[in-house]
Amino acid sequence: MNWDDTTDESTAPERLVAASADGEDQAVEAALRPKDLGEFIGQEKVREQLDLVLRAARARGATADHVLLSGAPGLGKTTLSMIIAAEMEAPIRITSGPAIQHAGDLAAILSSLQEGEVLFLDEIHRMSRPAEEMLYMAMEDFRVDVIVGKGPGATAIPLELPPFTLVGATTRAGLLPPPLRDRFGFTAHMEFYEPAELQRVIHRSANLLDVEIGAEGAAEIAGRSRGTPRIANRLLRRVRDYAQVKADGIITRDIAQAALKVYEVDARGLDRLDRGVLEALLKLFGGGPVGLSTLAVAVGEERETVEEVAEPFLVREGLLARTPRGRVATPAAWAHLGLTPPRSTTGGSGQQDLFGA
Ligand SMILES: Nc1ncnc2c1ncn2[C@@H]1O[C@H](COP(=O)(O)OP(=O)(O)OP(=O)(O)O)[C@@H](O)[C@H]1O
C-alpha cells in the first residue's frame, strides 16, 4: 500500500483525500482541465504575471521564457503548462524527472522538439544529475553536447536545438540546485485554494459532468477539499454517486454531508487516518507531547505513514505541532474532535503541565 501524499505519482492513492492522482482521476481530469488562463480559477497573481510573460513573448514573436511552477500536488501545475502551450499556440511534450534517468534520454527528447514547443517536466527535482547538467546548457544556449563513445576515446558532439519553453514543475522548489532555479525566467509559487475558489472549481466541474449542484452543496464539498482542486473534483464525483443512488441526483448540502460521512471525510477534510492520529494523541496521550514512534504504534501505522501522510495536513491546519519534545495537539484539535482538554493543559503544551512536572 502506498499512501504517498506528496511525490510519488506512479502509484494510485487509496485515500479519497490524497492530493496525487489515481487512475480514475487521470481519466477524468483531461475533461475537467481549464483550457486557457481565463478559465483557470484562483491563483490571481500567478495568472496575472503569466499572462504578461506570454503576451509579451507573443508580441515579440518569440518563444516564452522558461517557467518554473512550484506547489503541492493537485494545485494545477500540469493544467497551467498545457495552458501555456495553448496560449502560445505551441505543441506540448510531457515527461517527468523520474522518467529521465540518463542524459541520453533527455538528449533524445530535446533533439526531437519542434521550434517553440513547450516541454513540461514534472517532478523536475527528481531528475538524474547528468541529465540536470545537460539541461543547464539546453535552457541557456539551446544546445547540448552529445557524448559519443566511452572512456578516453569519447567525443562530445555539439547539437543545436530549436528554441523551446521548458515548464518545470516541482513540489519542492527548495530541492532544486540554484544553477537550475536561476535558469528559469519566471517562477510561480502556487498556493492552496480558498474555499470560495474551490466552490467555483466544483461548480465548473459539475457543469462539465452534467451534475446538478446547489451553492450550499458546493460549499460543503469545498470546505473538505484541503485547498486542492484535484481533491475537490474527486469528492464531487463520489458525492455525485451518492446523490444518484440515494436521492434524485441533485447535490444539496444534506446530500453532500451524508455522502461524505459515508466516505469518512469530515467537515475539515480529515479522513479516517488523520482522525485516528488525532484521537490517539488526545485520548491516549492527553494531547502530548508524545514521540512519533509511540503515536504510530498507538494508531497501528508505520512511523512514515504518520509522519509523511497524516501529519503535514494536521500541521497545516493548526491541529498538531511537532515540537522537540514530541507531537502536541493544539486547542483547535480538542475543539475539532469535540473533546475537553485536561484542565491544566495550556495551549496543548502538554503532559508535563498535566502531571505537574
Ligand atoms: N485553477 C484551477 N481551476 C480549475 N480546475 C483546476 C485548477 N487547478 C487544477 N484544476 C483541476 O485539478 C486537477 C488537477 O490539476 P493538475 O493535474 O494540473 O495538478 P498538478 O499540480 O499538476 O498535480 P501533480 O503535481 O499531481 O501533477 C485537474 O483536473 C484540473 O482540472
Side-chain angles (χ1 to χ4, degrees), residues 5-7 9 19-21 25-26 28-34 39-43 47 69 71-83 120 122-123 169-171 190 193 197-198 200-202 204-205 208 228-233 237:
D5 211 7
T6 51
T7 51
E9 300 297 301
S20 51
D25 292 329
Q26 282 164 1
V28 183
E29 278 180 359
L32 298 182
R33 284 188 201 285
E39 266 188 67
F40 194 83
I41 293 162
Q43 311 288 344
R47 263 195 312 137
L69 304 173
L75 298 188
K77 298 182 294 299
T78 308
T79 304
L80 261 191
S81 75
M82 292 178 171
I83 289 176
F120 178 58
D122 204 2
E123 297 186 81
T170 180
T171 46
M190 319 228 352
Y193 291 66
E197 294 168 338
L198 288 178
R200 285 167 56 204
V201 170
I202 291 165
R204 181 180 170 278
S205 301
L208 292 169
T228 307
R230 172 174 292 135
I231 299 177
N233 283 339
R237 297 200 302 275

Side-chain angles (χ1 to χ4, degrees), residues 194-354:
E194 296 297 327
E197 294 168 338
L198 288 178
Q199 226 174 302
R200 285 167 56 204
V201 170
I202 291 165
H203 275 299
R204 181 180 170 278
S205 301
N207 220 354
L208 292 169
L209 295 171
D210 215 7
V211 176
E212 205 174 318
I213 185 167
E216 289 181 335
E220 198 60 48
I221 299 174
R224 302 176 188 222
S225 300
R226 300 161 78 117
T228 307
R230 172 174 292 135
I231 299 177
N233 283 339
R234 191 185 300 136
L235 293 185
L236 170 65
R237 297 200 302 275
R238 293 293 73 84
V239 175
R240 171 192 60 180
D241 294 347
Y242 182 94
Q244 268 171 12
V245 174
K246 300 274 189 186
D248 54 3
I250 301 171
I251 301 178
T252 60
R253 179 171 54 195
D254 287 350
I255 290 289
Q257 278 175 351
L260 292 167
K261 190 165 181 202
V262 170
Y263 294 118
E264 299 185 292
V265 178
D266 78 11
R268 245 173 132 151
L270 273 62
D271 73 350
R272 199 161 45 85
L273 174 71
D274 304 320
R275 286 179 71 91
V277 171
L278 267 198
E279 268 173 18
L281 181 56
L282 302 187
K283 290 183 180 168
L284 303 178
F285 304 107
V290 61
L292 173 61
S293 303
T294 310
L295 187 57
V297 170
V299 279
E301 293 287 351
E302 297 294 326
R303 242 178 92 96
E304 291 73 24
T305 306
V306 172
E307 186 173 29
E308 291 162 26
V309 181
E311 282 187 355
F313 182 65
L314 296 175
V315 171
R316 200 179 105 208
E317 283 289 288
L319 296 169
L320 177 144
R322 292 167 168 163
T323 74
R325 289 185 304 143
R327 272 48 179 176
V328 171
T330 65
W334 291 99
H336 183 61
L337 291 195
L339 297 171
T340 312
R343 227 165 8 103
S344 54
T345 302
T346 47
S349 63
Q351 212 106 302
Q352 274 196 338
D353 295 339
L354 195 62

Side-chain angles (χ1 to χ4, degrees), residues 160-172:
E160 296 290 325
L161 302 174
F164 66 95
T165 299
L166 177 71
V167 179
T170 180
T171 46
R172 322 228 168 141

